[in-house]
Amino acid sequence: MPSDSSPLLPGLFNAEDEPFSFAPGAVLFRGFAASETQDILAALERVTKQAPFRRMSTPGGRQMSVEMTNCGRYGWLTDRNGYRYEDRDPESGKTWPAMPPLFRRLARSAAEHAGYPGFEPDSCLINQYRPGARLTLHQDRDEQDFSAPIVSFSLGLPATFLFGGPKRSDRTQKILLTHGDALVWGGPSRLNHHGIQPLEEGRHPLVGDRRINLTFRKAR
């Protein structure tokens, strides 16, 4: 396991603050989507009515603690057949719900502000964390083209994001993610390992006892 002894980056950046670059090609925007919370949650409810959250399993058979679903042309999946993108929800046999225009607009805007103009995501992985849920260090490498960045939004309870390097053993930074924050990473950091420490108990006034994470990618 990589060392996680690096200090927690203080959560003192407000929506008005300058973007914070935490690695080459990687930028944190505090409160970027906070003002859109109600509309995001309404769009999310429509998506999850068509494709409900579920706990997927790794190729090794371990059930993940995070609940997941997708919207967009492609959805990310994990099961005994491996990690991959598919254009249909295996539970319903139907195509994934269309990506809401608001989601696409926010993702494109965050990417452009981070220095990645022209980002056109075709996949949005939606993760729902309940207290105790976590995501171990991993790379996003199931996409066909690594030239596009990863764009990630956090809603609800705060979480500690781990951001390492190209090797899993590389030292990690700890970054406190709060409601409305946007992360964008690409270029030299595109294949860096990252994860989420176990979510702590709490309650957000708009989102409740959970954290929602929207991760946008160009899968194909």
Side-chain angles (χ1 to χ4, degrees), residues 51-109:
F53 284 112
R54 75 289 306 262
R55 290 177 65 186
M56 301 183 192
S57 296
T58 66
R62 180 180 61 83
Q63 189 177 56
M64 301 183 72
S65 61
V66 180
E67 299 170 88
M68 298 179 172
T69 189
N70 294 275
C71 64
R73 184 174 181 182
Y74 301 106
W76 185 85
L77 298 173
T78 172
D79 56 25
R80 290 190 178 275
N81 294 319
Y83 305 117
R84 65 196 184 281
Y85 285 96
E86 295 285 354
D87 61 3
R88 292 183 177 272
D89 182 346
E91 292 197 358
S92 68
K94 299 178 180 179
T95 58
W96 294 103
M99 188 182 300
L102 172 61
F103 287 15
R104 188 179 302 277
R105 174 173 63 80
L106 287 171
R108 293 179 66 181
S109 179

Side-chain angles (χ1 to χ4, degrees), residues 42-209:
L44 178 62
E45 184 176 2
R46 292 191 291 271
V47 167
T48 55
K49 281 185 178 178
Q50 298 178 61
F53 284 112
R54 75 289 306 262
R55 290 177 65 186
M56 301 183 192
S57 296
T58 66
R62 180 180 61 83
Q63 189 177 56
M64 301 183 72
S65 61
V66 180
E67 299 170 88
M68 298 179 172
T69 189
N70 294 275
C71 64
R73 184 174 181 182
Y74 301 106
W76 185 85
L77 298 173
T78 172
D79 56 25
R80 290 190 178 275
N81 294 319
Y83 305 117
R84 65 196 184 281
Y85 285 96
E86 295 285 354
D87 61 3
R88 292 183 177 272
D89 182 346
E91 292 197 358
S92 68
K94 299 178 180 179
T95 58
W96 294 103
M99 188 182 300
L102 172 61
F103 287 15
R104 188 179 302 277
R105 174 173 63 80
L106 287 171
R108 293 179 66 181
S109 179
E112 184 167 358
H113 278 79
Y116 300 98
F119 178 53
E120 292 291 347
D122 56 13
S123 177
C124 175
L125 173 65
I126 306 167
N127 289 346
Q128 179 170 258
Y129 294 78
R130 299 289 184 179
R134 64 194 292 259
L135 201 59
T136 57
L137 286 176
H138 64 282
Q139 295 171 298
D140 288 356
R141 58 180 312 121
D142 299 315
E143 300 74 36
Q144 291 184 356
D145 183 357
F146 298 145
S147 64
I150 306 296
V151 177
S152 173
F153 292 97
S154 296
L155 296 175
L157 292 177
T160 300
F161 179 70
L162 303 176
F163 196 77
K167 295 185 296 184
R168 201 174 191 279
S169 58
D170 289 337
R171 188 170 182 262
T172 57
Q173 300 181 68
K174 290 182 178 180
I175 304 172
L176 180 64
L177 296 181
T178 57
H179 179 72
D181 289 351
L183 284 175
V184 182
W185 69 94
S189 294
R190 173 60 179 76
L191 291 176
N192 282 25
H193 284 75
H194 54 282
I196 292 286
Q197 286 192 333
L199 192 71
E200 296 186 3
E201 296 278 351
R203 187 166 188 84
H204 187 273
L206 296 176
V207 186
D209 61 344

